[in-house]
Amino acid sequence: MTLARRIVTLLGLPVVLVATWWFLSAGSTDFYRPSLQRIVTAFQQTWFSERLVVDVLPSVARLAVGYLIALVIGIALGMMIGANRWLRALCEPVLEFLRAIPPPVLVPIIMLVAGIGNTTKVIVIVSGCVWPVLLNTVEGVRGVDEVLADTCRSYRITGLNRWRHLVLRSASPQIVTGARQGLSVGIILMVISELFAASSGLGFTIVQFQRGFQIPEMWSGVLVLGLIGVVLAQLFTIAERRILAWYHGIRSSQREW
Amino acid sequence: MLEVQGLRKVYDGHGRRVEAIADLTFTVGGGEFACVVGPSGCGKTTLLRCIAGLLPPTSGQVRVAGEPIAVVFQEYGRSLFPWLRVAQNVELPLKAAKMPRAQRQRQVDEALAAVGLADAHDAYPWQLSGGMQQRVAIARAIAYGPSVLLMDEPFAAVDAQTRADLEDLIRSVWQRLGVTLLFVTHDIDESVYLGQRVIVLSSAPTRVVENIVIDLPGERDQLTTRADPRFAELRARIYAHIKKLPSQRAEHGSTHDLSR
C-alpha cells in the first residue's frame, strides 16, 4: 500500500465522522448537546492547561502502574497455574468466582483496606486487568507444543531457560490477546476508580463538569478519554508487532502457500 | 555405544492395555550407523523415546556410553522454535549447557556450514522449505556434539529429491563426526542405503526379528548403490521379513499415537 492510501485508510472514517458531527451539531441550541465547535473550544481551554498535569497525567500514570502490575501478576501466576495440572484443578473454581465479580463493586471494600489514595485506585485497576491476562496465559501455557517440549527435554533446556524460551514464548500470542483485553478493562477502571472519594483525575473531572452543568467541558473530557484509548491501542500494536513478529510471519507465510 | 536390554513398554490407559514393545535387546557399537525398520505402528517411536529418556520403559534397561544424546524428530516444523532465528535455534541447547559465547558461536557456524546453511543464520525456520528446516534440526544436533544421535523418521515428511539429498548429508555427517547413530525409519530402501546394520522389528508387541549387516561398500551413491545387486538382495531379505509378519496394524495401530 502506498503511504497516501494508508493515511486515507487510517484517517478516512474518523474524518468523515467528525465532519458529520460538526455539521449536524452546528448551531445547536440544545443545552445537553452542544455543537462540536463549542466542545472543541472547551477542549482547548480545559485541557491545554495545568489540568493536563494535575488530572490527566496522574490518571494515566495510575493506569500504567496498575496495568503493568496486572501483567506481571497475571503472566507469572498464569504460567505457574497453566504448567501444573494439579494447581489448575485446585484454582479453577476460585478463579471463576473471582473473575465473575465486577471490580467496581470492590471499590468500597478496597477503599476500607487501602484508604482513599492512589493505592486503592491502582488496586482497582489491577483487580480488573489481571483476569484476562491470567486466564489467557493459563490457556497459552497449556497449549505448548509437545514436540517442542520433547525437544527441550532431550536437549536439556530446563529451568529458567525452559520458562523463558519455551513456555513464555509459546504462550505469547494468547498472553498478548489477554493483555489487549486487559488494557480496555484498565481504561474503564481508571475512570471508575476516580468516581469514588477522589479529588483529581480524569474521571473525577468529567463527573465534576457533569455535576456543574459544564456540558461542553464534560463532552471534551469524554473526547480525551477516547483519544487516550486510541494512543494506548497504537502503542499496544507497536509492542505487539515486536513481540509477535514471528507469529504474524508464520501466519502470512502460510497464507502465501 | 548404545545398549538396549530387555526393553518392554506397556501403555496403560483408558481401560486398555497395549503392549507396544514386548522384549527388545540389541546393541549399537560406538560409531556405528544402525537403522531400525519395522511395519508401521510397531513401536519404533516408542523405542526411540525410551532411549532418549523421554519415556520411562515398563521394564528393561537402556545404557548409553558417553553423553550427550541428540534427537532429530520427524516433525521438523514443530521441533524448531519458530520465535528464534536459525542460528539461535542451533545455539539454544549450547546456551543452556552454559558454553562460553565464542565457542558457541564457532560450533553454530560449523554446524550450519556442515548442513549447507551457512547463509541462513538470520532466517526464521518458517521462512525455509521443509528440507531446509530439517537441515537446521540436524545442525542443532551436530552442534550439540553428541556421542549418540537418534533420528526418528526424520525424512518421512519431505519430497523424494530432498530426501535423497538429506540421506547423503546424514551419511557424510556421520562419517565426519564418528557418532553412534540410530536411525528409525519405515522405509526399507532407506535403511539399506544408509546404515551399516539394519535391525528389523516385528509388529507390536515388538521384538527383534533379525539383525542384518549391510555389507555394501562404505562409499555410497544414490545411483550406483541402489543399482547394486547386493542392495536388491538385502532389500528383498528385509522386505520378506516385514511382509511375513502378521499384520496387526488395525489392532495396534494406535500404540504410536498413545505415545504422544
Side-chain angles (χ1 to χ4, degrees):
Chain A
M1 244 191 307
T2 62
L3 190 66
R5 265 189 73 182
R6 270 167 98 164
I7 290 172
V8 169
T9 347
L10 194 69
L11 297 177
L13 189 57
V15 166
V16 170
L17 288 176
V18 169
T20 314
W21 185 6
W22 183 278
F23 289 113
L24 286 183
S25 69
S28 165
T29 51
D30 187 330
F31 181 72
Y32 292 105
R33 277 169 289 176
S35 67
L36 182 54
Q37 194 180 356
R38 280 188 61 203
I39 296 173
V40 170
T41 316
F43 188 99
Q44 284 170 347
Q45 287 163 356
T46 312
W47 302 106
F48 294 148
S49 68
E50 63 160 359
R51 235 187 254 287
L52 192 69
V53 182
V54 177
D55 288 314
V56 180
L57 280 186
S59 288
V60 174
R62 284 193 290 262
L63 172 63
V65 172
Y67 183 63
L68 289 179
I69 292 175
L71 281 184
V72 171
I73 295 176
I75 293 172
L77 276 182
M79 298 225 309
M80 279 193 278
I81 295 170
N84 188 326
R85 192 180 303 173
W86 177 80
L87 197 61
R88 206 158 64 222
L90 193 73
C91 292
E92 216 143 61
V94 182
L95 290 181
E96 291 299 332
F97 175 82
L98 291 174
R99 184 175 66 141
I101 302 172
V105 306
L106 293 178
V107 177
I109 302 168
I110 295 171
M111 217 176 274
L112 283 177
V113 182
I116 56 170
N118 283 330
T119 319
T120 296
K121 298 184 180 71
V122 170
I123 292 176
V124 171
I125 292 169
V126 172
S127 70
C129 291
V130 79
W131 302 113
V133 180
L134 174 63
L135 296 171
N136 276 287
T137 306
V138 170
E139 282 311 305
V141 171
R142 286 179 62 180
V144 169
D145 190 283
E146 285 172 37
V147 176
L148 216 47
D150 276 350
T151 303
C152 279
R153 277 177 70 191
S154 58
Y155 284 104
R156 306 220 174 120
I157 299 165
T158 53
L160 199 62
N161 276 317
R162 187 175 180 280
W163 284 107
R164 222 182 98 195
H165 294 289
L166 175 69
V167 183
L168 185 62
R169 299 305 295 272
S170 294
S172 58
Q174 255 145 318
I175 294 177
V176 167
T177 305
R180 190 181 275 283
Q181 291 168 9
L183 184 60
S184 43
V185 174
I187 296 173
I188 296 170
L189 290 178
M190 171 187 83
V191 177
I192 287 177
S193 69
E194 292 166 358
L195 299 184
F196 304 88
S199 56
S200 72
L202 197 46
F204 167 78
T205 314
I206 293 173
V207 172
Q208 281 300 106
F209 287 142
Q210 190 189 339
R211 289 184 184 150
F213 293 100
Q214 294 169 277
I215 302 302
E217 285 77 6
M218 181 201 81
W219 278 104
S220 74
V222 174
L223 286 185
V224 172
L225 278 179
L227 289 175
I228 289 176
V230 170
V231 170
L232 291 180
Q234 285 299 319
L235 290 177
F236 191 93
T237 305
I238 292 169
E240 178 187 342
R241 273 204 201 121
R242 285 187 64 97
I243 295 168
L244 293 186
W246 62 273
Y247 181 71
H248 296 306
I250 292 176
R251 302 227 328 202
S252 63
S253 74
Q254 278 168 348
R255 270 198 294 274
E256 275 166 34
W257 296 126
Chain B
M1 197 177 76
L2 175 69
E3 234 183 298
V4 175
Q5 211 160 51
L7 186 78
R8 179 178 150 83
K9 179 68 191 177
V10 180
Y11 290 106
D12 249 324
H14 306 289
R16 221 167 72 109
R17 244 174 98 83
V18 179
E19 192 178 22
I21 296 177
D23 180 13
L24 277 184
T25 299
F26 64 85
T27 310
V28 183
E32 191 184 359
F33 192 153
C35 291
V36 173
V37 277
S40 27
C42 79
K44 297 187 290 277
T45 297
T46 303
L47 166 66
L48 192 120
R49 287 168 58 86
C50 285
I51 297 173
L54 296 171
L55 201 64
T58 307
S59 63
Q61 276 185 334
V62 173
R63 264 198 298 272
V64 178
E67 292 272 289
I69 302 179
V71 186
V72 175
F73 295 91
Q74 178 184 341
E75 302 94 334
Y76 49 80
R78 289 167 61 195
S79 89
L80 297 173
F81 296 86
W83 42 84
L84 295 180
R85 293 173 192 278
V86 164
Q88 294 172 319
N89 261 289
V90 178
E91 192 185 10
L92 186 58
L94 310 180
K95 235 176 175 171
K98 301 198 164 58
M99 184 184 285
R101 177 188 270 273
Q103 193 187 348
R104 238 159 50 200
Q105 206 72 53
R106 201 170 54 242
Q107 276 180 232
V108 170
D109 289 347
E110 279 172 13
L112 281 172
V115 300
L117 286 178
D119 50 1
H121 284 241
D122 291 331
Y124 282 105
W126 39 267
Q127 293 173 318
L128 307 176
S129 67
M132 283 164 94
Q133 289 182 32
Q134 196 56 292
R135 280 171 194 263
V136 177
I138 292 169
R140 177 170 63 187
I142 302 173
Y144 198 49
S147 59
V148 175
L149 180 53
L150 304 174
M151 304 188 86
D152 181 15
E153 306 205 24
F155 311 145
V158 297
D159 62 84
Q161 180 55 49
T162 309
R163 186 176 188 142
D165 292 345
L166 288 172
E167 284 168 3
D168 291 334
L169 171 72
I170 209 64
R171 270 199 64 86
S172 76
V173 163
W174 164 72
Q175 279 168 334
R176 195 142 25 116
L177 298 181
V179 289
T180 308
L181 210 164
L182 188 71
F183 189 104
V184 170
T185 176
H186 65 262
D187 185 326
I188 296 166
D189 287 52
E190 186 168 78
S191 69
V192 176
Y193 180 73
L194 283 177
Q196 296 174 298
R197 190 151 59 93
V198 174
I199 299 164
V200 185
L201 301 184
S202 70
S203 49
T206 310
R207 294 164 201 281
V208 175
V209 177
E210 207 190 345
N211 239 306
I212 299 175
V213 174
I214 304 298
D215 47 6
L216 293 167
E219 277 306 311
R220 295 189 192 173
D221 174 273
Q222 293 286 353
L223 284 178
T224 54
T225 304
R226 284 178 192 270
D228 192 325
R230 182 68 188 145
F231 182 92
E233 266 174 54
L234 289 163
R235 182 186 172 284
R237 199 164 134 201
I238 296 170
Y239 191 75
H241 271 301
I242 291 184
K243 193 81 182 177
K244 233 177 13 202
L245 295 167
S247 175
Q248 299 188 357
R249 265 180 85 175
E251 226 176 296
H252 290 285
S254 57
T255 50
H256 183 90
D257 300 327
L258 271 176
S259 67
R260 3 205 93 253

